[in-house]
Amino acid sequence: MIPLINRIGQYINIDSNAFEDIEGIAHRIETRQSGQDIVTIDETVDFVFFIETGWAIRYRILDDGRRQIINFMLPGDCFDLMSLNRAKSDHSVAAASEVVLRRVKSDDFLKTVARKPQLATAFWWAAIQEEAILREQIIRIGRRTAKERLGHLILELYRRQAAASGVYDNYLALPIPQALFADALGLSIVHVSRTLTLLRKDGLLRVTNRGIEILDRDRLTLVCDFDSRYLKVKKLSI
Amino acid sequence: MIPLINRIGQYINIDSNAFEDIEGIAHRIETRQSGQDIVTIDETVDFVFFIETGWAIRYRILDDGRRQIINFMLPGDCFDLMSLNRAKSDHSVAAASEVVLRRVKSDDFLKTVARKPQLATAFWWAAIQEEAILREQIIRIGRRTAKERLGHLILELYRRQAAASGVYDNYLALPIPQALFADALGLSIVHVSRTLTLLRKDGLLRVTNRGIEILDRDRLTLVCDFDSRYLKVKKLSI
DNA sequence: CGCGGGTTTGAATGAGTTCAATCACGGTGG
DNA sequence: CCACCGTGATTGAACTCATTCAAACCCGCG
């Protein structure tokens, strides 16, 4: 729950019962192993999901096996908020690492949100941020070089992870293989590896066991033209 | 108004007064010349826009002048529905051709929609479709070849234009130069031209004066792996 | 007729891919 | 404790798709 509370706290001032309001919605906790689908393409979705731990991906497989990852979902993220009207999904969602998630029936979610305007506001902002992340992904893979793409994505994931965990230590724990970066950035695995080496040799980051340490965040931000504003949304004090 | 009615009619069964309901919202009609901004990056948006005629683009300029077009907005499209809470825009919107648009204050829009549940439903679906278009754009530029990208985009624009105009004649009127295709698809102008020539030589399309005639839609659909489902949403009969 | 925006073509270059081999490392079984 | 395996990361060499630069072309318009 802590990541979700941190996330929601970005948008509203959490009062004493916001926690219980969310916790109180009927839900089911599920665990998925890395690679397992959470939502399958063509499925009619009438659930809202919250990631508790682990990373998930939205993706699509093309006819000949090419895969494009649309975006990553981290602890604290909620998704398919937009699909409160039983739309058929045009893509799949899968666990990228082992994932624990909270599944809520759309109707139950709606009922709670209708009674709690601050929650409605917070989730509305969350949906707006999700859309901003999609736009940024388009800009990233459309007009940026491999180096910029990779650094930019690392910075995004770091910021999102930090915002949800509350820990700002310039370290991004990576529960996924580099192949997922490749499929997210429209690059080959080989080139992701090479590009990561470049960033390492530039002294911008250090690749550890299962994570990335950002050594010079200011310079990396500059090199990748990263502007974090798209991740921030004005906090309201309703 | 006809494009908007057609668009909305994709989502709800238009009853006699839906037309008046929309028409009745306080608005201002504006005209923008090609290239003029409609929404500027960093601007606080508290308007909802409807395109009456012409094409608009959402875009971002990178530090060194590279431009990425995020998506196109066609007659009948409404945009910035999500920004009903005075968010700062993280990108710009500009007229891609001469554009006539209807500008509505968010508050006025909200009031009307709150009184008319079918309209709320319709615009909700419109927002969902917009997000689906963003996801498809990511897949397009992330993992498709130049040929697929271009054909895929042409098919999308054709379908959207046809749905809004009601005319299904396999002809896409193009009010914009090829340079915009380049910036939308993450390609150079030169390569767009070459790729268009390829598609022409394959007998898939004919490039006319100010438009593209789709000669063999089935084959083009196959070649570009175009699956139109992301543009369609279930029609409700409320 | 000549100008100018937009498009096309050619040749050289370059960023990223592919294929294939090697390496690093954690887990497993003998 | 070591041999063995498998997954994921790295490196090299050849190749390809797309870019860049530059020139030519097309066509509507004053």
Side-chain angles (χ1 to χ4, degrees):
Chain A
M1 285 299 283
I2 294 140
L4 179 57
I5 295 297
N6 278 330
R7 285 276 285 125
I8 293 305
Q10 296 183 280
Y11 309 123
I12 55 171
N13 292 316
I14 299 277
D15 62 11
S16 47
N17 24 22
F19 180 90
E20 289 105 60
D21 290 338
I22 297 173
E23 181 63 40
I25 308 176
H27 64 270
R28 219 172 63 189
I29 299 290
E30 296 177 7
T31 303
R32 295 297 164 97
Q33 295 309 309
S34 161
Q36 283 189 319
D37 271 1
I38 296 167
V39 174
T40 313
I41 188 166
D42 277 340
E43 188 181 329
T44 302
V45 186
D46 54 348
F47 292 97
V48 173
F49 300 90
F50 300 86
I51 309 252
E52 305 262 316
T53 65
W55 288 19
I57 50 172
R58 240 178 248 286
Y59 71 98
R60 175 114 120 251
I61 306 276
L62 302 190
D63 44 6
D64 61 348
R66 285 172 286 180
R67 175 173 71 169
Q68 176 64 42
I69 293 176
I70 296 162
N71 64 346
F72 291 98
M73 269 102 67
L74 274 50
D77 284 343
C78 41
F79 61 95
D80 284 3
L81 290 180
M82 292 288 281
S83 300
L84 295 177
N85 37 5
R86 295 159 211 291
K88 263 199 178 182
S89 185
D90 55 11
H91 60 275
S92 303
V93 177
S97 66
E98 184 172 314
V99 162
V100 177
L101 56 90
R102 169 181 299 248
R103 178 193 288 263
V104 175
K105 281 210 190 77
S106 300
D107 293 343
D108 295 338
F109 178 76
L110 259 181
K111 263 180 244 159
T112 303
V113 155
R115 272 187 287 109
K116 306 283 176 179
Q118 327 90 297
L119 281 189
T121 305
F123 287 116
W124 183 261
W125 279 111
I128 288 182
Q129 195 204 61
E130 195 184 322
E131 220 182 272
I133 288 172
L134 292 185
R135 284 193 297 265
E136 203 66 32
Q137 166 78 337
I138 290 172
I139 295 160
R140 196 150 47 203
I141 61 184
R143 279 291 183 224
R144 294 193 191 279
T145 64
K147 200 170 170 182
E148 291 169 335
R149 287 185 210 184
L150 188 54
H152 198 280
L153 178 59
I154 288 169
L155 284 169
E156 174 185 312
L157 293 171
Y158 167 67
R159 284 205 79 106
R160 289 172 58 192
Q161 185 233 40
S165 66
V167 181
Y168 291 82
D169 59 356
N170 288 318
Y171 181 76
L172 172 65
L174 268 192
I176 56 159
Q178 292 180 12
L180 295 206
F181 278 171
D183 283 341
L185 298 174
L187 298 169
S188 66
I189 299 180
V190 173
H191 203 59
V192 166
S193 169
R194 286 194 227 277
T195 307
L196 213 44
T197 305
L198 273 185
L199 292 173
R200 253 193 290 122
K201 291 205 171 135
D202 284 357
L204 294 167
L205 17 110
R206 209 163 63 83
V207 179
T208 71
N209 209 353
R210 257 152 201 264
I212 292 175
E213 191 186 345
I214 300 169
L215 295 175
D216 190 338
R217 192 147 55 84
D218 290 345
R219 199 150 57 81
L220 185 59
T221 302
L222 212 66
V223 164
C224 304
D225 185 39
F226 181 77
D227 180 343
S228 65
R229 275 176 294 178
Y230 72 101
L231 291 175
K232 294 183 204 152
V233 283
K234 193 176 49 176
K235 186 158 175 168
L236 303 178
S237 38
I238 296 181
Chain B
M1 283 300 284
I2 295 141
L4 180 57
I5 295 298
N6 278 330
R7 285 276 286 125
I8 294 306
Q10 297 182 280
Y11 310 124
I12 56 170
N13 291 316
I14 298 276
D15 62 12
S16 47
N17 25 20
F19 180 90
E20 288 105 61
D21 290 338
I22 298 174
E23 180 63 38
I25 309 175
H27 64 271
R28 219 173 61 189
I29 299 291
E30 296 177 7
T31 302
R32 295 298 165 95
Q33 295 309 310
S34 161
Q36 284 189 318
D37 271 1
I38 297 167
V39 174
T40 313
I41 188 166
D42 277 340
E43 187 181 329
T44 302
V45 186
D46 54 349
F47 292 97
V48 173
F49 299 90
F50 300 88
I51 308 252
E52 304 261 317
T53 64
W55 288 20
I57 51 172
R58 241 179 247 285
Y59 72 97
R60 174 113 120 253
I61 305 278
L62 303 189
D63 44 7
D64 61 349
R66 285 172 288 180
R67 176 173 71 170
Q68 176 63 41
I69 292 176
I70 297 163
N71 65 344
F72 291 97
M73 270 101 66
L74 274 51
D77 283 343
C78 41
F79 61 95
D80 283 3
L81 290 179
M82 291 289 280
S83 300
L84 294 177
N85 38 4
R86 295 159 210 293
K88 263 198 180 184
S89 185
D90 55 12
H91 61 275
S92 302
V93 177
S97 65
E98 184 173 312
V99 162
V100 177
L101 56 90
R102 169 181 297 249
R103 178 192 288 263
V104 175
K105 281 211 190 78
S106 299
D107 293 343
D108 295 338
F109 177 76
L110 259 182
K111 263 181 243 157
T112 302
V113 155
R115 272 187 287 108
K116 305 283 175 181
Q118 326 90 299
L119 281 190
T121 305
F123 287 116
W124 184 262
W125 279 111
I128 287 182
Q129 196 204 58
E130 194 183 322
E131 220 182 273
I133 289 172
L134 292 185
R135 283 193 297 264
E136 203 66 33
Q137 167 77 337
I138 290 171
I139 295 159
R140 196 151 46 203
I141 62 185
R143 279 290 182 224
R144 295 193 192 278
T145 65
K147 199 170 170 181
E148 292 168 334
R149 286 184 210 184
L150 188 52
H152 198 280
L153 178 58
I154 288 170
L155 284 170
E156 174 185 313
L157 293 172
Y158 167 68
R159 285 205 78 107
R160 289 171 58 192
Q161 184 235 38
S165 66
V167 181
Y168 291 82
D169 58 356
N170 288 319
Y171 181 76
L172 173 65
L174 269 192
I176 57 160
Q178 291 180 14
L180 296 206
F181 277 172
D183 283 341
L185 297 174
L187 299 170
S188 66
I189 300 181
V190 173
H191 203 57
V192 166
S193 169
R194 286 195 226 277
T195 307
L196 213 44
T197 305
L198 274 185
L199 292 173
R200 254 194 288 122
K201 291 205 172 136
D202 285 357
L204 294 167
L205 20 107
R206 209 162 63 84
V207 179
T208 70
N209 209 354
R210 259 154 197 265
I212 291 174
E213 191 185 344
I214 300 169
L215 295 175
D216 190 338
R217 191 146 58 84
D218 289 346
R219 198 148 59 83
L220 185 59
T221 302
L222 212 67
V223 165
C224 304
D225 185 41
F226 181 79
D227 181 341
S228 65
R229 275 176 294 178
Y230 72 102
L231 292 176
K232 294 184 204 152
V233 284
K234 191 176 49 176
K235 186 157 175 172
L236 303 178
S237 37
I238 296 180

